[in-house]
Amino acid sequence: MLVSATEMLQKAVEGHYAVGQFNINNLEWTKSILQTAQELNSPVILGVSEGAGKYMTGFKTVAAMVSAMIDEMKITVPVALHLDHGTYDGCYKCIKAGFSSIMFDGSHYPIDENVEKTKELVKVAHAMGLSIEAEVGAIGGEEDGVVGMGECADPNECKMIADLGIDFLAAGIGNIHGKYPANWQGLSFETLAAIKEKTGDMPLVLHGGTGIPADMIKKAIDLGVAKINVNTECQLSFAAATRTYIEAGKDNQGKGYDPRKLLAPGAEAIKATVKEKMELFGSVGKA
Ligand code: 13P
């Protein structure tokens, strides 16, 4: 069922595990993630970036597809449909489209403006029964071919934003989106501990889940991370499996060019990646 992410993440904090947010790009992605969550009896968050929303022709299409799939596939585990790194306007669009959760990323605004906008969106989201994530300290990643190092958020600013009544908080601790460069310094557990101390039981969100070693993931969960976002890793496994299929010439054998066959190995690869992450995050059996 489609639910807000509040309860599943509060339970995760209490139970010392994390719920995965897996970003979706199309029908195959959504189907693979939902199937895996159901098979493993795990709660799940489907993340939709504004770019992916546009690609899928708009947030209304996404919300309709996800709701219909939950129904047709008889998905009984809790599923949240969440806007990833939303702009102010994007948040309003997703609230209207029927999402069950939003992220307002005001990290690029001066802190006062981030506070004002987040405060307003908390009120609107909660009035409509949605959960809301906010961000402090930008999360790095590749921009124009340059891979930036992740910033570390200021714990006092984290407290200011957490006190606005948000449901979960994304705070930079040296994490970045996409693949980690060879000279990456690792997560700053010192920053994470300081943020945890200021924000108490607030579920913390770790973006850039792709490529973070398992021991760092486990330590981050011990220190209060209750939601981990994974996007690139599913894209890499989908691409690798599709490449293998085509390079083996399978698209030329029989009706191997049929999209239902051509996209099947990639869809299976996404399922394997999601399973591996749910096992690592500890959310299996927690629905
Ligand atoms: P990755 O693409 O690095 O897994 O990051 C996903 C993410 O944080 C989405 O917000």
Side-chain angles (χ1 to χ4, degrees):
M1 25 170 198
L2 195 61
V3 295
S4 96
T6 306
E7 196 185 322
M8 64 169 91
L9 294 182
Q10 281 171 356
K11 277 194 191 162
V13 171
E14 281 162 28
H16 302 285
Y17 60 90
V19 178
Q21 171 190 307
F22 300 95
N23 285 50
I24 58 172
N25 293 288
N26 60 18
L27 183 140
E28 280 73 19
W29 243 258
T30 315
K31 185 175 160 187
S32 292
I33 297 164
L34 288 176
Q35 268 174 348
T36 310
Q38 184 69 23
E39 271 166 34
L40 299 181
N41 197 32
S42 168
V44 72
I45 299 169
L46 302 177
V48 183
S49 68
E50 297 209 354
K54 203 169 159 191
Y55 174 79
M56 289 184 271
T57 75
F59 296 128
K60 278 198 282 185
T61 309
V62 178
M65 174 180 74
V66 169
S67 299
M69 275 190 173
I70 288 173
D71 187 27
E72 301 269 22
M73 293 169 68
K74 300 188 173 42
I75 301 294
T76 54
V77 297
V79 179
L81 177 59
H82 181 71
L83 171 64
D84 191 27
H85 292 285
T87 59
Y88 179 83
D89 290 342
C91 284
Y92 276 102
K93 279 187 192 158
C94 286
I95 291 170
K96 227 174 125 190
F99 276 47
S100 65
S101 188
I102 51 170
M103 173 187 190
F104 171 59
D105 182 356
S107 62
H108 49 285
Y109 291 116
I111 185 70
D112 291 347
E113 199 172 346
N114 190 359
V115 166
E116 275 321 300
K117 289 193 161 72
T118 302
K119 205 194 284 178
E120 176 193 318
L121 285 160
V122 164
K123 230 191 253 169
V124 180
H126 285 174
M128 302 289 288
L130 282 80
S131 46
I132 175 165
E133 172 179 350
E135 179 172 327
V136 182
I139 291 150
E142 193 182 313
E143 245 175 301
D144 297 331
V146 179
V147 180
M149 288 298 173
E151 279 178 31
C152 282
D154 173 346
N156 290 317
E157 290 186 357
C158 290
K159 180 160 172 52
M160 273 169 84
I161 297 279
D163 285 349
L164 301 174
I166 59 164
D167 300 285
F168 31 107
L169 175 72
I173 55 165
N175 44 324
I176 61 171
H177 293 122
K179 291 184 189 173
Y180 285 86
N183 62 345
W184 180 50
Q185 308 288 307
L187 298 175
S188 168
F189 293 112
E190 212 185 350
T191 308
L192 180 55
I195 294 167
K196 174 76 184 159
E197 182 158 344
K198 294 270 180 192
T199 58
D201 286 338
M202 169 68 57
L204 300 174
V205 183
L206 183 62
H207 282 247
T210 296
I212 299 179
D215 58 330
M216 284 195 204
I217 293 278
K218 290 220 156 96
K219 192 161 177 195
I221 294 172
D222 280 347
L223 289 169
V225 164
K227 172 175 178 277
I228 303 176
N229 293 4
V230 177
N231 184 15
T232 307
E233 207 153 323
C234 289
Q235 299 185 358
L236 292 170
S237 46
F238 178 88
T242 308
R243 174 190 291 274
T244 303
Y245 181 87
I246 292 183
E247 284 184 350
K250 292 195 178 160
D251 54 322
N252 281 326
Q253 292 165 16
K255 285 199 173 175
Y257 51 80
D258 178 333
R260 282 171 277 173
K261 292 200 170 113
L262 182 65
L263 299 178
E268 283 304 312
I270 293 173
K271 287 176 73 177
T273 299
V274 171
K275 182 170 189 268
E276 185 193 310
K277 297 296 170 194
M278 286 178 165
E279 284 167 352
L280 174 63
F281 301 167
S283 70
V284 174
K286 298 290 183 359

